[in-house]
Amino acid sequence: MSGPVLGTRPRLAREVAAGLLRASGVRVAEGDLPDGELLEVGGELACRISWAGPLGLAVGSEADVQAACGVMHVHGRRYGAPTPLRVDFASVAAGVLAATGALAALRARRAGTAYREVGVSVAQAALLGLAQYLAAATAPDREGAEPAGTGGPPFRAADGVWFELEALAADGWLRFWSELGVDRRVVGRAWLPFQARYGTAACPLPEELFAAARAVGHRRLARIAAECGVELTVAAARPGVLGGMPWRLRAGGAAGSGGAAGAASSPSAPPTRGPLDGVTVVEIARRVQGPLAGRVLALLGATVVRVEPPGGDPLRGVPPMTADGGAAGGGASGGVVHGAAAVSARFAALNRGKGVLEADLRDAEGRSAVRELVRGADVLLHSLAPAKVAGLGLDAGTVAALRPGLVYAQASGGGPGLSTDYPVQAHSGLAALLAPDGLPPRPTLLTVCDVLGGLVCAAGAVAALEARERTGRAQHVESSLLSAARLLCGAAGDPGAPDGGAEVCTDLGVLARDPRVAAAFEFGADGCAFVRAPWEFGT
């Protein structure tokens, strides 16, 4: 569970983990290890945090990890060369994962298993954060895996205001730029890189778009955006809120049969799947945040069933493709197995190992199938818009009647107009912290808020499961992209150059096949690389 003894210990990761555990009501004592950090959790569990864990990388700082594990490479795509990410992303992610693993082990102990320690490393956290990029880089058909072209948003208005745009549909994008006088052919050519930027971390756009924005004041631009169904977010010059608890947990009614408190008095052998073995999760989510949260819960041993529209999630078909989707199969009557079909490598990285139920939430039959699935679940995890939840019959009150004792985990953007990563970076002030010296607020195209938002959502769900075991009451937990951004804002600082002799990764495909990181990956039949669970549990 330890890596090379280099540099300083990962204190920030320990501080993040300890803060989250204490806020979850768990007693924590902090200590030092020769090569890492130690948390004594609840007086019964040792949580060890190191830089490299079981990996053979010579890393001893945040900068080393960012360099060796590809964070600088992916973040630097918009700049044309590996570039340090000016926030301790990997260390914060490791702290969240350490708290998640410890809470899961505590819950398992309360239920009668024998976990005594859990280990996680900053390097493994970084690789998990890059899971979709790593899968794309190792897919047999690498179309779009390593995109070329620098630059990208934000845009600058005539009055000097910097802003981000979000358009989730091509017609809104076309209407907005057409209103500004940009040729339709230019707008159409820009749509593909703009739409793909969440998966590629690159967004080279024609200069005509930036010039058109510079000709109009931001108030008029905001009006046009609203009329076209496009979100315009002004970039904050500095963060408004730093750190804080990234999820809100509150108790619901009495627990049902799946949430009874009171652990067995004599621990047994740990379950084979992990500390969440026996937990069933229903996931209704798109894009990155919610699916990554479900993936983390699956890596901890939970059975996760995704609800997808008829025909499957459209993101299944986004190249590059892999033949190894890794679906676990249907989790309920009417479930669909997609594992045998080719699927997007990026999608597989976030959804491998999950079951699938295809259901149309717009009709009564589909909603009935989902409600039946929820009746047998321990957790409902969703990222549905708050305005739509009640109409679908999936609000907390309604599902509590379906499944007493349910953990209701809700992931969101964090506010009106904050539905996706880059606007959240701009609004929170994170983009201002990340911008290189002398440049305006500039989000990283590495989806740091989506990734950390997914990790935070999973941590909140596990904290809720542990609280349910402890109190015997159902739990409702809420997290958001904005809360994740604020957690990162509290850990801002230029990591500088690698100081432990770490090599700078410039090719994720080469990295995934480096024997030194073999413990972090498993490979599909066609060679596509998927990141393993980042924890080591011991008894």
Side-chain angles (χ1 to χ4, degrees):
M1 287 192 182
S2 61
V5 182
L6 293 170
T8 60
R9 290 185 290 268
R11 292 195 181 279
L12 177 59
R14 184 182 78 177
E15 291 170 3
V16 170
L20 297 183
L21 288 166
R22 289 187 178 117
S24 301
V26 177
R27 180 165 53 89
V28 178
E30 301 181 50
D32 295 332
L33 294 170
D35 56 356
E37 301 285 356
L38 174 67
L39 297 174
E40 294 182 358
V41 182
E44 55 189 22
L45 183 75
C47 180
R48 306 172 187 273
I49 308 173
S50 63
W51 287 115
L55 309 186
L57 296 173
V59 292
S61 68
E62 171 76 21
D64 285 349
V65 171
Q66 287 195 20
C69 295
V71 174
M72 289 186 183
H73 169 60
V74 177
H75 170 60
R77 286 177 180 174
R78 72 174 300 160
Y79 301 109
T83 305
L85 183 65
R86 297 175 63 140
V87 66
D88 290 343
F89 167 67
S91 293
V92 173
V96 175
L97 287 168
T100 306
L103 288 165
L106 283 180
R107 177 201 168 274
R109 284 183 61 87
R110 198 180 299 279
T113 59
Y115 290 114
R116 296 187 182 277
E117 64 178 43
V118 56
V120 71
S121 74
V122 180
Q124 288 168 288
L127 293 173
L128 183 62
L130 299 184
Q132 64 163 331
Y133 306 102
L134 286 156
T138 53
D141 177 6
R142 297 185 57 181
E143 177 189 350
E146 295 277 356
T150 60
F155 300 95
R156 183 178 181 271
D159 46 7
V161 174
W162 292 93
F163 64 92
E164 284 286 323
L165 279 182
E166 184 59 278
L168 300 179
D171 57 345
W173 172 263
L174 177 60
R175 288 179 58 200
F176 177 82
W177 291 111
S178 295
E179 284 289 329
L180 299 186
V182 181
D183 184 272
R184 293 170 65 93
R185 290 170 296 181
V186 174
V187 179
R189 190 169 72 249
W191 172 244
L192 183 58
F194 181 81
Q195 184 186 41
R197 71 198 191 284
Y198 282 95
T200 63
C203 189
L205 296 179
E207 170 57 27
E208 289 92 330
L209 272 60
F210 296 93
R214 289 194 298 268
V216 181
H218 89 274
R219 291 184 181 275
R220 184 184 168 206
L221 288 168
R223 287 196 299 271
I224 294 172
E227 292 168 0
C228 297
V230 173
E231 295 177 0
L232 185 150
T233 304
V234 174
R238 62 184 64 85
V241 179
L242 300 178
M245 188 64 181
W247 67 78
R248 183 176 64 167
L249 179 64
R250 62 182 186 272
S257 58
S265 57
S266 56
S268 61
T272 56
R273 287 172 53 90
L276 294 189
D277 193 6
V279 171
T280 298
V281 179
V282 175
E283 174 197 310
I284 310 175
R286 292 278 305 276
R287 303 176 74 86
V288 176
Q289 177 192 22
L292 179 57
R295 173 67 172 159
V296 169
L297 298 178
L299 289 172
L300 285 165
T303 298
V304 181
V305 182
R306 279 179 56 78
V307 176
E308 298 186 12
D313 191 317
L315 294 179
R316 287 179 173 274
V318 177
M321 308 294 282
T322 175
D324 190 348
S333 176
V336 177
V337 178
H338 287 283
V343 66
S344 165
R346 297 187 181 99
F347 183 90
L350 297 171
N351 296 293
R352 199 165 185 262
K354 300 177 185 177
V356 178
L357 174 72
E358 291 188 2
D360 189 344
L361 294 176
R362 296 170 299 180
D363 64 42
E365 183 179 356
R367 292 191 295 272
S368 177
V370 173
R371 286 195 297 269
E372 190 61 31
L373 191 60
V374 171
R375 289 183 193 276
D378 298 284
V379 180
L380 172 61
L381 187 163
H382 76 80
S383 59
L384 298 167
K388 297 181 179 179
V389 174
L392 297 173
L394 294 173
D395 55 291
T398 300
V399 296
L402 290 174
R403 176 60 163 161
L406 184 77
V407 167
Y408 189 89
Q410 184 173 354
S412 70
L418 299 177
S419 59
T420 53
D421 193 300
Y422 309 130
V424 169
Q425 289 189 48
H427 173 81
S428 66
L430 179 60
L433 293 176
L434 295 177
D437 292 337
L439 292 180
R442 179 168 294 185
T444 174
L445 294 177
L446 165 60
T447 54
V448 293
C449 291
D450 264 330
V451 168
L452 193 62
L455 301 186
V456 163
C457 178
V462 176
L465 283 166
E466 200 282 328
R468 187 182 73 170
E469 291 293 334
R470 185 175 70 249
T471 66
R473 299 186 65 185
Q475 304 290 323
H476 185 165
V477 61
E478 299 175 17
S479 64
S480 68
L481 298 178
L482 183 58
S483 68
R486 288 169 173 168
L487 191 61
L488 280 174
C489 286
D494 191 345
D499 52 17
E503 301 172 10
V504 179
C505 167
T506 57
D507 188 318
L508 295 183
V510 172
L511 172 64
R513 292 179 173 83
D514 187 329
R516 295 174 297 175
V517 298
F521 293 101
E522 60 184 5
F523 292 88
D526 59 4
C528 193
F530 301 104
V531 180
R532 293 182 185 271
W535 309 273
E536 294 177 279
F537 292 97
T539 57

